[in-house]
Amino acid sequence: QHPAHCYNSPTGEIMATAEGGWDNYSFSINNTDWVTVEVNQNAHVFNNLLANEHQVWVRDGNNCTVSQITEVTQPAELVIDNVTTTPITCYGGSNGSLTVYASGGNGGYQYSIGDGFIESNMFSGLAAGVYTVSIRDSLGCSNSVDVTINQPLNFTLEVVTNSYNGYNIGCYGQT
């Protein structure tokens, strides 16, 4: 048997092999639909299976039937546990950053924010905006989440000159 590649994906396999009885074997995974293999063949592969217990039946040329329960396993769900962000220091800048923390799946993580996958879970030099953070493992299982890099409001300064009837008013002693 081969486990499913990704969590909750129909990629598991079971190889059933018959021995003994009479030649001309048929195999079933639901005891309803049967697959007869060629004469002198004694095995069949059931594929596209979800993780679960499956009962496999084999029937020989005299309609004698035996079955066995086997389990197709799966890896833990690939999860983005957390994404920490550092906002832009000044309005319009591009010094934001984010770090992705993940678990589960098959290991060998790669990360992306849209420009291809890399080994590092840290991205820097980011402008303000929404980024789709994606992760994939060594078997291609993936997950993604949208993350916002914030920035402060636009920083402005306005200088007002006080005047009285068109004359600038200064402090005592100023001209």
Side-chain angles (χ1 to χ4, degrees):
Q1 77 172 358
H2 293 282
H5 296 265
C6 303
Y7 179 81
N8 205 27
S9 71
T11 54
E13 291 183 354
I14 295 172
M15 177 178 224
T17 304
E19 291 184 20
W22 294 98
D23 218 359
N24 198 21
Y25 298 110
S26 297
F27 296 87
S28 177
I29 199 158
N30 59 13
N31 202 20
T32 302
D33 301 313
W34 291 85
V35 175
T36 302
V37 296
E38 293 182 29
V39 174
N40 297 324
Q41 296 293 314
N42 68 336
H44 179 72
V45 176
F46 296 97
N47 51 29
N48 301 321
L49 301 174
L50 286 167
N52 202 348
E53 284 190 348
H54 297 275
Q55 188 165 3
V56 178
W57 286 268
V58 63
R59 183 172 56 203
D60 71 5
N62 279 343
N63 285 325
C64 299
T65 304
V66 294
S67 69
Q68 181 176 335
I69 295 175
T70 188
E71 183 177 7
V72 172
T73 61
Q74 66 185 352
E77 184 175 9
L78 179 60
V79 176
I80 297 174
D81 297 313
N82 190 25
V83 179
T84 59
T85 61
T86 303
I88 307 302
T89 306
C90 298
Y91 181 83
S94 58
N95 65 339
S97 65
L98 63 85
T99 304
V100 186
Y101 299 94
S103 63
N106 298 290
Y109 302 142
Q110 293 183 322
Y111 307 86
S112 174
I113 57 170
D115 297 331
F117 283 88
I118 62 173
E119 302 290 322
S120 175
N121 67 332
M122 298 167 45
F123 298 88
S124 59
L126 303 177
V130 177
Y131 293 86
T132 299
V133 176
S134 299
I135 180 173
R136 72 179 178 197
D137 68 14
S138 61
L139 292 180
C141 307
S142 62
N143 202 346
S144 63
V145 64
D146 287 339
V147 176
T148 301
I149 299 291
N150 293 311
Q151 69 179 342
L153 296 175
N154 194 4
F155 186 53
T156 61
L157 173 64
E158 183 179 332
V159 177
V160 176
T161 303
N162 290 327
S163 65
Y164 181 73
N165 289 334
Y167 298 96
N168 284 335
I169 299 175
C171 295
Y172 178 74
Q174 286 184 330
T175 56

